[in-house]
Amino acid sequence: MFGRKRKPSDFDAEVEAHLALEAERLKEQGQSDDEARMAARRAFGNVTQTRERFYESGRWIWWDHLWQDVRFGVRMLRKNPGFTMAAVLTLALGIGANTAIFSLGNVFLFRPLPVKEADRLTVVAVKYRADDDPGQLSYLDYQDFRKQADVFTNMTFYDLNLAGLGYRGHADRVIMAFVPSNFFTMLGLRPALGRLIAPNEGDEPKSGPVVVLGHSYWLSRFNGDPGVIGTSVTLDGQMVTVIGVVPEQFTGPYNIVELDAYAPVGMVASAREYASFFTDRRDTELRVLATLKPGVTARQAETALNVIAGRLAKAYPQTNQGETARVIPERLARPEPAVESSIPLVTTIFLVMVSLVLLVACFNVANLLLARAAARQREIAVRAAMGATRARLIRQMLTESMLLAMAGALGGALIGSWVISGLEKLRPLGDFALRLAFTFDWRVFSYVSGVALAAGIVAGLAPALRVSRTNLNNTLREGGRGLLGDTGRHWLRNGLVIAQVAGSVIVLVAAGLFTRSLTNAESIDLGYDPHHVLNVNLDPKLQGYDQPRAEAFFRQLLSRAKALPGVESASLAFSVPLGYYSDGTSVYVEGQPLLQGQRAPGAGINCVTPDYFSSLRMKILEGRAFTDADTSTSAPVAIVNQTMAEHLWPKQDALGRRFSLGGSEGPFKSSSQGARRQWVTVVGVVRNARLQGLLDTPGNFFYVPQTQSYKSTHVLQLRTSVAPQSLIVPVESLVRDLDPNLPVYDVMTMDRAVAGANGYFLFKVGASFAASLGALGLLLAMVGVYGVVSYGVSQRKHEIGIRMALGAERGSVLALVIRQALVLVGAGVVVGALAALGVSRLLVSLLVGVPSYDPLTFVCVSALMLAVAVAACYIPARRAARVDPMVALRYE
Amino acid sequence: MSTREDKDRLELLQGTLDLLILRTLIFGPQHGQGIARAIEQTSEDELFVEHGALYPALQRLESRGWISAAWGISRNNRKARFYRLTQRGRKQLAKEAAKWNRLAAAIGRILGTEAAEG
């Protein structure tokens, strides 16, 4: 339709042609030139009116009016910079909060991976016990699923790994994935440089000595040098050749961290100290991705896989007993597939909170617009008198609020991107950058535009309707002083204030509940003392150390670290409490054979040096700690936690009991395979500690001496008598002395470490987000109350003057104004508290040790709101009390 | 304000004027002045069309896709905008004409004159 627009000039030409033709015809009939022209015009009728009708029927007028409105609006806004700034800033804060939350939701829930057929991409995960979260697959299971399932067009996997990438003698710790050769082809990716892994390349163990670099890593480590293709680098000490770089938009299949490198799965065998990856169904390392066949649903695929899982469970009861499969659309499995992800709930709650804050902001702007409309009453009356229709006036006013909203949206997008980049700077995963990638894609864009549109209408509609209903006779006669004091306007303004206060109260209650949860979470007894501990991670494997060399290295490191001034004790461990990696295993108890169909219980495991328990101040309840006498040649020993002791040996003394990691048959004959294959004797019971999650009740966990279970990855933990940060430099130089090329990473105090993703991170982020939103809501409500009260005072100057002339005290005027404001705010608090009671029930699953109706929170929030309201109306109230009756009366 | 009155008059003219324009264009493309002239002549000057009123009608018909328009040269060598009946316009004309004839016949029968028989 827009294509068929006809220009007014074209129409004018047609009318001219008509008049000329008609005049010519009349001349042919013998009329004179002038007569003919006159007659033609007469026959035509009113030319101007015809033109106007053409104009009004077209779309031109619509655009013209819009353009007029926009130009006029911009002029008005520029004439009142103070008002404009206040309104735009208010809206920008509201829209910014919305943008930030929506972008986070976008990363976790909406944005598809930039790969082929992303809409049909699913995550395949399995679990062995009913109440487990679905997790990774073993290589053999993956092969069986891949061969037998006919519900997928293709299936691939990735195995996330930390590795040392050495170049010119120096190793970098990178996060990388071992992938099969179909990984890149299935995802439909093309290299940014060089080539990706070729078909069948490196699918066999110990083959495929190549590596593909992540795009960001290529830029940062190799300065984006195209000459890197063909270069030799080392991966955990193994020589490999760089063959290519992945495209820039592909940051890897793991949503929140960008991968640095990809290597063929065949390299797993050479990179790891054990090679059970390809042969042991207990070695579950694979994160499996599969593309559904068109028309097949995830649920159908799941049913098909479960048939296969059932077959596997029968064929390999030792390892696959109870196995069930889950097929989850990729977008719902971020960052990890979980039985019940809280991400949609958290996203919804925060979206509700930011919407409320935006609503409060809109009401503020509405109030500002109303107040300004009072000043513009005369202008509007004149426009109406000149023939502007009501619709036209409303449009004019809405255009202005839309302009404000659009400016607010621009500012909001900026604020949103700041918030996101601020979040990315937090490091909940050790040194790894959290990748939230604020991209202004079409989803964010439509959301922000939609929000801005809504904000413009919400903020502008009520004032526009109100103003356009002005009785212009009265207004003009009143000489423009306006009749805004009429009662209708009062309830509108008052209603806005009540709504603002109520909205802020809801947000504040949520913020209060989250803050209380954080406090409660922080007072949880961790079972160890995280204060005054410094963590330094190192992994000699990154430089290609073998076991004897690494063990020698660790011995030296430990003895030198203990000698550092300020160090009380030093120990090594494999994993850090609440860190982002840990180890687990199945345990088989001596004398407790498994029943048919029963799975061996699982337990977490950490290997530590003798001083570990004193470094972390974990209390040994029974038995002994490890000593230097526990060596690779002495009898294997373990220290178990309370849960494990009670669980495996209920109502018995766990000390002296034995268990094995190798199978229920007991130890294998050959003991050369290490601790896994032997009976392990319990020599101590240690207090339960929160190691894997803050809120989960601690599960089975045991510790073995580092000397009896070799791992190359270790964290050096120092208990210090001085501030732990002060030891960072000495420890790093100590490591450099031992090996200048060995990278140390995740160097941080234990206090910071427990604030990571599995620790307090979500509580802290959630509480600080909620608190910021609450503060924002409070601030906006305060401004709203201030605005309305001070406007009311300015309108009632006359009345106040009379009261004072009749003998009212200053104090009583002050009290009058404050009392009236408090009635409004009180109503808002009541409405808000009631609404919050309902809304906060949504939060229950996210709260720690505090009920959703927590009276303390509700009382504090209400009191805070009232106190802030009193503060907000004190200034205008004082102004009212200072009214000089003579001036006020003379003014009339 | 006179807008409302204009609208009333338009309403009154709409049906018939549209029909007359469509009917006139059946003989071939014609410009606005030609259409006005043709209506007056064929009705033997019984009907007078205010030329100015013709244009809103032409625009309406054009926007409905019943006629199309293009600039061309008139018989006496003047640039003019020529209107042409489209396929849809032709169908519309048949429909409208039938309706009009039924209406005229019905009114004729009620009035009991022979006027409607033509």
Side-chain angles (χ1 to χ4, degrees), chain A residues 14 22 24-25 44 49, chain B residues 6 37 52 59 76 78 83:
Chain A
E14 182 175 13
E22 181 71 7
E24 239 158 68
R25 189 187 67 86
F44 195 90
Q49 203 185 337
Chain B
D6 277 349
R37 198 41 55 210
Q59 256 203 278
N76 42 4
R78 269 191 182 279
Y83 294 90

Side-chain angles (χ1 to χ4, degrees), chain A residues 299-595:
Chain A
R299 178 127 312 183
Q300 288 165 337
E302 198 167 291
T303 315
L305 288 197
N306 273 325
V307 174
I308 301 169
R311 279 205 291 268
L312 293 178
K314 267 210 197 82
Y316 313 103
Q318 275 276 347
T319 52
N320 290 48
Q321 191 67 54
E323 181 177 30
T324 55
R326 289 275 284 128
V327 177
I328 309 160
E330 188 275 327
R331 287 188 302 164
L332 301 180
R334 297 173 186 171
E336 299 279 348
V339 178
E340 200 175 327
S341 170
S342 58
I343 286 175
L345 176 67
V346 173
T347 310
T348 315
I349 285 170
F350 276 95
L351 276 181
V352 169
M353 284 177 72
V354 289
S355 307
L356 278 171
V357 169
L358 181 59
L359 210 59
V360 173
C362 286
F363 290 161
N364 255 352
V365 174
N367 252 331
L368 283 174
L369 283 172
L370 269 179
R372 218 169 57 97
R376 287 174 64 183
Q377 194 77 350
R378 192 171 160 78
E379 169 217 324
I380 288 156
V382 169
R383 284 164 147 269
M386 304 254 294
T389 60
R390 183 156 183 229
R392 190 84 176 70
L393 282 177
I394 292 177
R395 241 180 81 178
Q396 165 69 50
M397 303 293 287
L398 276 183
T399 306
E400 287 184 37
S401 64
M402 280 298 172
L403 284 173
L404 289 174
M406 268 155 58
L410 282 181
L414 268 180
I415 293 175
S417 63
W418 287 338
V419 172
I420 295 288
S421 61
L423 270 181
E424 281 183 329
K425 290 206 185 80
L426 305 173
R427 293 279 164 99
L429 301 174
D431 288 344
F432 289 114
L434 193 62
R435 199 189 138 277
L436 301 173
F438 179 86
T439 47
F440 211 64
D441 63 10
W442 65 266
R443 280 176 212 85
V444 178
F445 182 78
S446 354
Y447 182 79
V448 172
S449 325
V451 161
L453 191 73
I457 292 174
V458 169
L461 194 60
L465 288 176
R466 170 68 61 187
V467 164
S468 63
R469 216 185 292 150
T470 308
N471 180 331
L472 66 146
N473 266 335
N474 284 351
T475 308
L476 291 176
R477 208 179 303 134
E478 288 271 321
R481 209 166 311 131
L483 287 177
L484 286 170
D486 64 41
T487 47
R489 190 168 309 277
H490 268 317
W491 77 250
L492 178 60
R493 291 176 150 274
N494 294 346
L496 286 179
V497 169
I498 293 176
Q500 273 189 315
V501 170
S504 314
V505 163
I506 298 173
V507 176
L508 280 170
V509 163
L513 291 174
F514 279 133
T515 310
R516 296 256 291 147
S517 294
L518 172 64
T519 325
N520 287 344
E522 278 176 333
S523 60
I524 286 175
D525 176 15
L526 294 172
Y528 46 88
D529 174 13
H531 312 306
H532 282 277
V533 175
L534 180 70
N535 291 342
V536 179
N537 284 264
L538 4 82
D539 187 352
K541 180 189 68 171
L542 303 185
Q543 277 290 69
Y545 282 36
D546 59 8
Q547 184 175 345
R549 203 174 151 209
E551 281 172 342
F553 170 84
F554 281 128
R555 264 195 307 277
Q556 261 192 321
L557 176 70
L558 206 53
S559 67
R560 290 225 211 161
K562 279 179 179 161
L564 285 177
V567 172
E568 283 180 3
S569 72
S571 58
L572 290 163
F574 167 66
S575 60
V576 186
L578 302 176
Y580 54 90
Y581 64 89
S582 61
D583 205 359
T585 177
S586 295
V587 292
Y588 303 85
V589 181
E590 187 183 24
Q592 297 181 12
L594 294 173
L595 304 172

Side-chain angles (χ1 to χ4, degrees), chain B residues 2-72:
Chain B
S2 56
T3 327
R4 177 158 299 166
E5 286 165 28
D6 277 349
K7 272 186 189 149
D8 287 347
R9 200 174 53 187
L10 248 174
E11 225 69 271
L12 204 69
L13 277 169
Q14 202 160 331
T16 39
L17 186 56
D18 288 5
L19 179 61
L20 294 179
I21 293 171
L22 291 176
R23 168 74 192 159
T24 309
L25 287 179
I26 209 160
F27 303 112
Q30 187 58 277
H31 48 71
Q33 187 259 350
I35 295 171
R37 198 41 55 210
I39 291 173
E40 280 164 29
Q41 278 172 2
T42 8
S43 73
E44 289 161 7
D45 286 335
E46 290 269 12
L47 292 176
F48 172 74
V49 179
E50 195 187 72
H51 296 191
L54 198 60
Y55 283 91
L58 282 170
Q59 256 203 278
R60 192 167 54 239
L61 294 176
E62 196 183 342
S63 76
R64 286 181 190 164
W66 294 342
I67 58 175
S68 63
W71 284 93

Side-chain angles (χ1 to χ4, degrees), chain B residues 15-16 19-20 23 92-110 113-118:
Chain B
T16 39
L19 179 61
L20 294 179
R23 168 74 192 159
Q92 186 63 24
L93 172 61
K95 228 163 53 192
E96 294 282 315
K99 218 163 81 185
W100 181 256
N101 281 339
R102 265 168 52 205
L103 184 69
I107 290 173
R109 274 196 298 279
I110 290 167
T113 63
E114 304 127 20
E117 295 198 336

